[in-house]
Amino acid sequence: MNRVTAADVAAAAGVSRSTVSYVLNGSDRVRFPESTVARVLEAAARLNYTPNAAASSLRRGRSDVVLAVLHDMPHGTALGRLLDELTAVVAAQGRSLVTWAAREGSALADVLRDLTPRVIVELMPFGDEDRATAAGSGVPVLSAIDALLDLESHVGAAQVDHLAGLGHRRVGVVTVDEPRVEVFARARRASAADALRRHGLAAPPVAVMGEAGAAAADVLAESLREWTRGPDPVTAVACYNDLFAAITCAAAERAGLSVPHDLAVVGVDDEPLGAWLSPTLTTVRVDLPALATAIAAALAGDARSRDVDVIGEGRDVALVVRGTSGAPRSGSVDQTSR
Amino acid sequence: MNRVTAADVAAAAGVSRSTVSYVLNGSDRVRFPESTVARVLEAAARLNYTPNAAASSLRRGRSDVVLAVLHDMPHGTALGRLLDELTAVVAAQGRSLVTWAAREGSALADVLRDLTPRVIVELMPFGDEDRATAAGSGVPVLSAIDALLDLESHVGAAQVDHLAGLGHRRVGVVTVDEPRVEVFARARRASAADALRRHGLAAPPVAVMGEAGAAAADVLAESLREWTRGPDPVTAVACYNDLFAAITCAAAERAGLSVPHDLAVVGVDDEPLGAWLSPTLTTVRVDLPALATAIAAALAGDARSRDVDVIGEGRDVALVVRGTSGAPRSGSVDQTSR
DNA sequence: ATGAAAGCGCTAACAC
DNA sequence: GTGTTAGCGCTTTCAT
């Protein structure tokens, strides 16, 4: 099947190629009589004409493709929700959002050889090389990193506010050691630590987890035993995400701690499965649709050559209170009254 | 910043535009002296030259973009694994895989106006409209649907084989009513039913679930009570995926059934969180990397204008045996001996 | 109101 | 070996 070009449509409609272009692009500059428009439209439909995207972007000097870049980190459902929403709002702008997952060994330069997007949306922090590529390519980069970090900075706070509100005085932090999410993990635990300070509580003990493999719970159980020993035991844990919250619950059981009575656990991301753990998982849900909208708005404002930072709103973080969090058992040791 | 073109590089290197093109594309037809090559490469690097993808695909008459199409169904981590792997193998072919999520209201035609991929990979069944668009666009479609269905047809069988092997004689099925995954859900439950027949067991009672909302477990608990009533109770359940398996476990508890003693439960997808449920979730893991490789191989064979079906291999399905599955309690009622 | 014509940046056949 | 040249299909200015 030979591709149908505008010339074919023009011939079929008995007009020139430029008329076809005008009619199809609905230029405001020129108005064509109904009959001409109808003839062109009919011919285009009959021949199943699809404009050549490459020719069109070459001539216009720009494309209507928006490229969202993330990496191959096994991500939960949260990022999927963000991408779905982003796809929709970008589509509403008459552009197309496609996603590309960077991997160890694959460079942004590769995809930019095959595709010149109108703008690149940075959803995961670029490495130095990719950053240089993006900068040199002349394609504007819309970075969502600051917005994401802003959101993250409320995540740990939401966890701690909830736990402190329940009366917990010693809170531990379970974080993850994984380079690709390091920046987010750091933001989450930093905001948790900040919140603890704000509540006048001690700095948290931190357990840094590697792979979420089978041994993870044993390792963590050891930390929990240590944290809960002594006169001033940890009674609550703020976890990096729901997966590690689930592991923490399993670790608690192995350490002989009952959740939530001996230990309250709070995750992040509101994974669907978390609602069906027993006890059901208390978690922090981030409002990704709102972030998608913010990104889309920045996109509409059309970052020229300078990067644009989306400013997320702090309240786009909501606690989902379920079974793994409750008040500490009969007050802390240092509260002898009552 | 004005875009650097091949002409700029040519001027800087003191050669013609075609030489630049030849050198950069490494044509086999012509061989240039080291010095020329070096000069061109140096100039390109120094000017930070990026070829214009649109011009290049326009001229070549094709692009090196592969477009993977799926829909906005909230998918688990399994599909993410598939996409990551696919991105990698496609990159190894010197092409770029980008992903586009179709949504209610957004059409494939929209993205094809902004992007002309070399081939479209159909990961979720197209609707009639998108199928027509794809066909009319002249872009070959590589459908992974048949391969996915082939895989699915082994999923239910793997669940049932495991359960029958443990001695279960009455097995129920929990499936989902969601148009976007209907074809896969049907394949899973059909293969479970087939397997039961093969084992000489009765056709399964089927619970069709809607949303995985809070009420889901109550609804399902009612079904479980019914199934386990009477002389020939259901002792095991094959679930659509891990989420519904978790809901089934919760429902079992509400129905006063102990998992796995009164009821064995098997999921699908090997969601990371499933390993931390209690009891830990037995599940079926599908070998997506193998599927990605198969798709990539078909891609390399370069579907001309006809669609190509990837043939998946049945053994790319593996049972992950964990805590929710065990032998039925002291044999079935009809096994009076022993 | 419509058409002719000039490229967008690149590739590749062909000439020198 | 290297340069010249002719478009790929489209948009858009400028004539008519």
Side-chain angles (χ1 to χ4, degrees):
Chain A
M1 177 199 252
N2 280 331
R3 270 189 68 75
V4 179
T5 76
D8 300 326
V9 177
V15 298
S16 75
R17 302 202 308 285
S18 48
T19 301
V20 171
S21 181
Y22 278 131
V23 169
L24 263 35
N25 293 319
S27 164
D28 317 314
R29 310 258 312 174
V30 270
R31 200 128 301 287
F32 287 84
E34 291 261 344
S35 63
T36 308
V37 171
R39 230 165 48 248
V40 171
L41 256 33
E42 183 274 331
R46 185 159 46 79
L47 299 179
N48 208 325
Y49 170 65
T50 324
N52 180 311
S56 160
S57 8
L58 175 57
R59 178 63 236 228
R60 303 173 109 111
R62 60 192 163 76
S63 90
D64 285 328
V65 172
V66 176
L67 182 72
V69 178
L70 37 80
H71 54 51
D72 63 339
M73 181 61 206
H75 48 259
T77 50
L79 196 51
R81 291 200 306 264
L82 173 58
L83 284 172
D84 284 341
E85 195 60 28
L86 203 50
T87 302
V89 291
V90 167
Q93 295 177 356
R95 325 228 258 234
S96 296
L97 182 124
V98 294
T99 304
W100 180 75
R103 278 205 140 202
E104 190 72 36
S106 67
L108 184 59
D110 297 332
V111 69
L112 290 187
R113 242 201 319 277
D114 297 331
L115 188 60
T116 308
R118 167 90 153 250
V119 41
I120 295 171
V121 179
E122 182 187 11
L123 290 177
M124 292 291 155
F126 287 158
D128 290 342
E129 192 190 341
D130 284 350
R131 183 165 310 290
T133 301
S137 73
V139 178
V141 173
L142 180 67
S143 175
I145 305 300
D146 282 2
L148 283 166
L149 287 180
D150 184 71
L151 239 29
E152 300 295 5
S153 76
H154 292 273
V155 163
Q159 292 177 311
V160 166
D161 288 351
H162 171 59
L163 294 170
L166 288 170
H168 293 275
R169 321 309 299 162
R170 277 268 289 159
V171 176
V173 164
V174 172
T175 187
V176 67
D177 176 30
E178 157 62 58
R180 290 168 294 188
V181 297
E182 172 57 20
V183 58
F184 300 125
R186 194 202 329 263
R188 285 186 189 182
R189 61 178 185 261
S191 78
D194 276 357
L196 284 169
R197 199 173 309 124
R198 219 178 49 235
H199 285 283
L201 302 176
V206 176
V208 180
M209 307 297 294
E211 284 281 305
D218 291 324
V219 173
L220 192 48
E222 196 43 56
S223 297
L224 293 182
R225 275 192 208 95
E226 196 179 309
W227 293 357
T228 52
R229 208 158 26 212
D232 198 16
V234 163
T235 59
V237 180
C239 301
Y240 172 69
N241 65 11
D242 285 350
L243 176 58
F244 283 96
I247 297 175
T248 301
C249 292
E253 190 180 342
R254 291 176 203 198
L257 300 164
S258 143
V259 174
H261 306 299
D262 299 325
L263 196 74
V265 176
V266 182
V268 183
D269 279 349
D270 195 15
E271 287 292 337
L273 261 172
W276 305 103
L277 291 173
S278 62
T280 54
L281 190 59
T282 294
T283 189
V284 174
R285 189 183 169 102
V286 175
D287 190 355
L288 280 334
L291 177 58
T293 305
I295 294 175
L299 234 30
D302 231 357
R304 292 277 161 60
S305 48
R306 284 194 312 117
D307 295 2
V308 169
D309 295 317
V310 182
I311 304 304
E313 310 249 322
R315 44 211 149 81
D316 294 332
V317 155
L319 205 75
V320 181
V321 180
R322 288 197 285 244
T324 55
S325 64
R329 178 168 273 171
S330 66
S332 312
V333 168
D334 57 337
Q335 294 179 294
T336 43
S337 62
R338 207 176 226 258
Chain B
M1 173 198 256
N2 280 333
R3 269 188 68 74
V4 178
T5 76
D8 299 327
V9 177
V15 297
S16 75
R17 300 199 312 283
S18 53
T19 301
V20 172
S21 180
Y22 280 129
V23 168
L24 263 36
N25 294 319
S27 165
D28 316 313
R29 309 258 311 175
V30 270
R31 200 128 301 287
F32 288 84
E34 291 261 345
S35 63
T36 309
V37 171
R39 229 164 50 247
V40 170
L41 257 31
E42 183 275 331
R46 184 160 46 80
L47 299 179
N48 207 324
Y49 169 65
T50 324
N52 180 310
S56 164
S57 9
L58 175 57
R59 180 62 241 227
R60 304 173 108 110
R62 59 191 164 76
S63 89
D64 285 328
V65 172
V66 177
L67 182 72
V69 177
L70 38 81
H71 54 50
D72 63 339
M73 181 60 205
H75 48 260
T77 51
L79 195 50
R81 290 201 306 263
L82 173 59
L83 285 172
D84 284 341
E85 194 60 29
L86 204 48
T87 302
V89 291
V90 167
Q93 295 177 356
R95 326 229 257 231
S96 296
L97 183 122
V98 295
T99 303
W100 180 74
R103 276 207 140 200
E104 190 71 37
S106 67
L108 182 60
D110 297 332
V111 70
L112 289 188
R113 238 198 321 277
D114 297 330
L115 186 61
T116 307
R118 167 92 154 250
V119 41
I120 297 171
V121 179
E122 181 186 12
L123 289 178
M124 291 290 155
F126 286 158
D128 291 344
E129 192 190 339
D130 284 350
R131 182 165 310 288
T133 301
S137 73
V139 179
V141 174
L142 180 67
S143 175
I145 304 301
D146 283 0
L148 283 167
L149 287 180
D150 183 70
L151 239 28
E152 300 295 5
S153 76
H154 292 272
V155 163
Q159 293 177 309
V160 167
D161 288 350
H162 172 59
L163 294 171
L166 288 171
H168 294 275
R169 319 312 298 164
R170 278 268 288 159
V171 176
V173 164
V174 171
T175 186
V176 67
D177 176 30
E178 158 60 58
R180 289 169 294 187
V181 296
E182 172 57 19
V183 58
F184 300 125
R186 196 205 326 265
R188 286 186 189 183
R189 61 179 185 261
S191 78
D194 277 356
L196 284 170
R197 202 173 306 124
R198 219 177 50 237
H199 285 281
L201 302 176
V206 176
V208 181
M209 307 297 294
E211 284 282 303
D218 292 323
V219 173
L220 192 49
E222 196 43 56
S223 297
L224 293 182
R225 275 192 208 95
E226 199 179 306
W227 294 356
T228 51
R229 205 155 30 210
D232 198 17
V234 163
T235 58
V237 181
C239 302
Y240 171 67
N241 63 14
D242 284 350
L243 175 57
F244 284 96
I247 297 176
T248 302
C249 292
E253 190 181 342
R254 292 178 203 196
L257 300 164
S258 142
V259 175
H261 306 299
D262 299 324
L263 196 73
V265 176
V266 182
V268 183
D269 279 349
D270 196 14
E271 288 291 337
L273 261 172
W276 304 103
L277 292 172
S278 61
T280 55
L281 191 58
T282 293
T283 188
V284 174
R285 189 183 169 101
V286 175
D287 190 355
L288 278 334
L291 178 58
T293 304
I295 294 175
L299 233 31
D302 231 359
R304 291 278 161 60
S305 49
R306 284 195 311 119
D307 295 2
V308 169
D309 294 317
V310 182
I311 303 305
E313 309 251 321
R315 46 212 149 81
D316 294 331
V317 153
L319 205 75
V320 181
V321 180
R322 286 197 286 244
T324 57
S325 63
R329 177 168 275 172
S330 65
S332 312
V333 170
D334 56 336
Q335 295 177 294
T336 43
S337 62
R338 203 176 228 256

